[in-house]
Structure formats: structure tokens, C-alpha cells
């Protein structure tokens, strides 16, 4: 399964955010639900128009995006101070905070 066949971006749908098969379901929404502890089966039950390959495509897209840019991980010292990773990442011009 190739995620490129299922993940779309259209400026007229969800402001151009990556979506599942052109629907108003964003990759971020699917990933957020997984991160919150929802199972793939639960997501499919809540959104019956999604397919298991849609969830795998969202994960594949996220993995691809994560490879594009490396983010520093907190050092042990920073972790002891409970500093968030975002505080340690220098802002890139044009990205905003």
C-alpha cells in the first residue's frame, strides 16, 4: 500500500491540510486519535467511511514527513528540568512559533 494513493491536499478542503482520500478527515486528526490511545479499530468504528489502509496511509505519511527534518531530542539535563522539546528548537524564518 502506497500512502500517496490515499493522502491528498486540496486548498479547498480543510485549508489544504493533508486529508484522507479528499475527505474532510485530516491526517492530523487520525494521528491525534492514535496518539490519544484510540485503536485503529475504534477509529474505523467511529468513522465508518474510513478504511484500515487509510490509517496505515496516515502513519506512512507521518513517517515520511518525520524523515524530512531532524528535531533535537532533549538532553538528560533538559529532561531533568522538564523543558519541552519545542523550547529547544530554534525557530526557522517563516515558520512562526
Amino acid at each position: 500500500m502506497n500512502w500517496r494513493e490515499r493522502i491528498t491536499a486540496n486548498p479547498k478542503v480543510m485549508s489544504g491540510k493533508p486529508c484522507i482520500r479528499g475527505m474532510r478527515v485530516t491526517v492530523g486528526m487520525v494521528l491525534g486519535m492514535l496518539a490519544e490511545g484510540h485503536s485503529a479499530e475504534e477509529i474505523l468504528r467511529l468513522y465508518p467511511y474510513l478504511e484500515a489502509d487509510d490509517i496505515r496511509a496516515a502513519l506512512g505519511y507521518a513517517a515520511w514527513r518525520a524523515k524530512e527534518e531532524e528535531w533535537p531530542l532533549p538532553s538528560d539535563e533538559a529532561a531533568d528540568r522538564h523543558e519541552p522539546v519545542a523550547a529547544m528548537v530554534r525557530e526557522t524564518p517563516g515558520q512562526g512559533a
Side-chain angles (χ1 to χ4, degrees), residues 34-88:
L34 291 169
E36 290 172 1
H38 296 276
S39 68
E41 294 77 18
E42 184 178 7
I43 295 170
L44 294 173
R45 193 170 52 254
L46 292 169
Y47 301 91
Y49 42 87
L50 291 180
E51 301 170 0
D53 278 345
D54 294 330
I55 294 173
R56 285 189 285 277
L59 290 167
Y61 175 80
W64 174 75
R65 290 292 307 205
K67 290 178 185 177
E68 286 193 14
E69 187 171 345
E70 292 188 28
W71 293 87
L73 295 176
S75 65
D76 290 338
E77 186 177 283
D80 290 341
R81 292 190 309 266
H82 303 289
E83 290 181 22
V85 173
M88 299 184 329

Side-chain angles (χ1 to χ4, degrees), residues 4-56:
R4 295 175 201 278
E5 297 168 1
R6 291 182 174 263
I7 305 301
T8 60
N10 179 338
K12 295 181 180 180
V13 178
M14 302 300 285
S15 300
K17 292 179 182 176
C19 291
I20 308 294
R21 293 184 286 129
M23 295 184 279
R24 298 181 64 80
V25 177
T26 65
V27 169
M29 184 212 71
V30 172
L31 296 174
M33 291 183 75
L34 291 169
E36 290 172 1
H38 296 276
S39 68
E41 294 77 18
E42 184 178 7
I43 295 170
L44 294 173
R45 193 170 52 254
L46 292 169
Y47 301 91
Y49 42 87
L50 291 180
E51 301 170 0
D53 278 345
D54 294 330
I55 294 173
R56 285 189 285 277

